[in-house]
Amino acid sequence: NAGVTQTPKFRILKIGQSMTLQCTQDMNHNYMYWYRQDPGMGLKLIYYSVGAGITDKGEVPNGYNVSRSTTEDFPLRLELAAPSQTSVYFCASSYSPGSNTGELFFGEGSRLTVL
Amino acid sequence: AQTVTQSQPEMSVQEAETVTLSCTYDTSESDYYLFWYKQPPSRQMILVIRQEAYKQQNATENRFSVNFQKAAKSFSLKISDSQLGDAAMYFCAYRRGTNAGKSTFGDGTTLTVKP
């Protein structure tokens, strides 16, 4: 069982470039999330989705965009990369919070550097 | 908005000893869940333990247990018989029972285990 798979694991971008972080899960979870983790800090929510076709902004959405065309996939798009977007990005998925397995399942993270 | 505070940026413990990591949170909601996640140097976020707010009994998972004080909004993690493999960053997280189950994370506590 693969769980949550993120690609790429590492990427270096130049200022102004764009890229997409891919995320896919095979657990049939309705809820999916994108977080960023800055050095020495906790996770900040960028965008989230409660099902295919439904997305919404989190705490720090500026400079990002998402789509959710299927239950499995939740890509994160970075437009016009800026040094402030240098971070580690985590995709996560889950069942509803009240279920027995209501915890978040995380991908391995993607380290992005913008120079 | 919900906030999660981990007041100990770093902690250390001798192998086989017991250590307690602190976490406080602020919320006006009644439907929520609390989690401790472990992040080793590999970056993979791993669930340690989960607590439902409506349950008075403290959760336990082998060597890991929590002290959940709902009125005080406190959720500490106790690690007994510490092992070298417990060395990691630990994050306390609050997850809403409604509103897309969004989670708020503390800034983490880095635990060092001394042999």
Side-chain angles (χ1 to χ4, degrees):
Chain A
N1 197 345
V4 179
T5 302
Q6 281 181 242
T7 57
K9 289 186 170 51
F10 301 93
R11 182 74 186 267
I12 298 175
L13 282 180
K14 294 182 179 179
I15 294 172
Q17 287 185 321
S18 300
M19 74 160 296
T20 299
L21 297 176
Q22 302 291 344
C23 176
T24 187
Q25 52 92 9
D26 61 0
M27 297 173 281
N28 202 32
H29 288 163
N30 283 331
Y31 296 77
M32 295 190 74
Y33 308 86
W34 274 106
Y35 290 90
R36 60 177 285 172
Q37 183 182 26
D38 297 327
M41 306 291 286
L43 281 67
K44 302 294 184 188
L45 182 64
I46 305 171
Y47 268 95
Y48 66 96
S49 169
V50 299
I54 306 169
T55 63
D56 208 345
K57 296 177 180 179
E59 298 174 75
V60 289
N62 291 344
Y64 307 94
N65 215 332
V66 294
S67 60
R68 184 99 182 268
S69 57
T70 66
T71 299
E72 295 78 19
D73 300 308
F74 190 43
L76 176 72
R77 177 86 177 157
L78 280 73
E79 304 283 0
L80 300 175
S84 61
Q85 293 178 303
T86 294
S87 190
V88 178
Y89 292 83
F90 287 95
C91 179
S93 71
S94 80
Y95 292 116
S96 68
S99 69
N100 285 339
T101 55
E103 74 270 25
L104 298 179
F105 290 80
F106 288 87
E108 294 182 344
S110 300
R111 181 179 295 278
L112 175 67
T113 302
V114 182
L115 300 174
Chain B
Q2 291 73 32
T3 58
V4 176
T5 302
Q6 293 179 247
S7 59
Q8 307 152 315
E10 297 177 350
M11 292 283 284
S12 67
V13 63
Q14 208 69 32
E15 196 175 4
E17 297 293 309
T18 296
V19 65
T20 298
L21 308 184
S22 300
C23 173
T24 59
Y25 60 96
D26 188 24
T27 184
S28 58
E29 299 178 332
S30 58
D31 184 11
Y32 61 90
Y33 304 83
L34 298 165
F35 302 85
W36 280 96
Y37 291 93
K38 172 184 177 181
Q39 186 181 43
S42 66
R43 286 204 317 246
Q44 181 72 53
M45 297 280 280
I46 304 163
L47 175 70
V48 175
I49 200 164
R50 154 195 170 105
Q51 174 78 45
E52 293 88 341
Y54 62 85
K55 288 188 177 179
Q56 292 185 338
Q57 186 174 7
N58 290 325
T60 61
E61 286 288 342
N62 301 314
R63 298 183 295 107
F64 299 88
S65 62
V66 299
N67 184 3
F68 175 46
Q69 301 289 327
K70 190 171 183 179
K73 296 180 182 174
S74 171
F75 183 60
S76 61
L77 174 69
K78 184 170 83 171
I79 306 174
S80 304
D81 185 26
S82 297
Q83 300 176 358
L84 295 177
D86 294 334
M89 180 166 278
Y90 286 81
F91 290 96
C92 178
Y94 167 103
R95 188 174 189 201
R96 304 172 80 166
T98 57
N99 198 355
K102 289 182 284 186
S103 297
T104 302
F105 289 79
D107 286 341
T109 296
T110 300
L111 178 66
T112 301
V113 181
K114 299 178 180 178

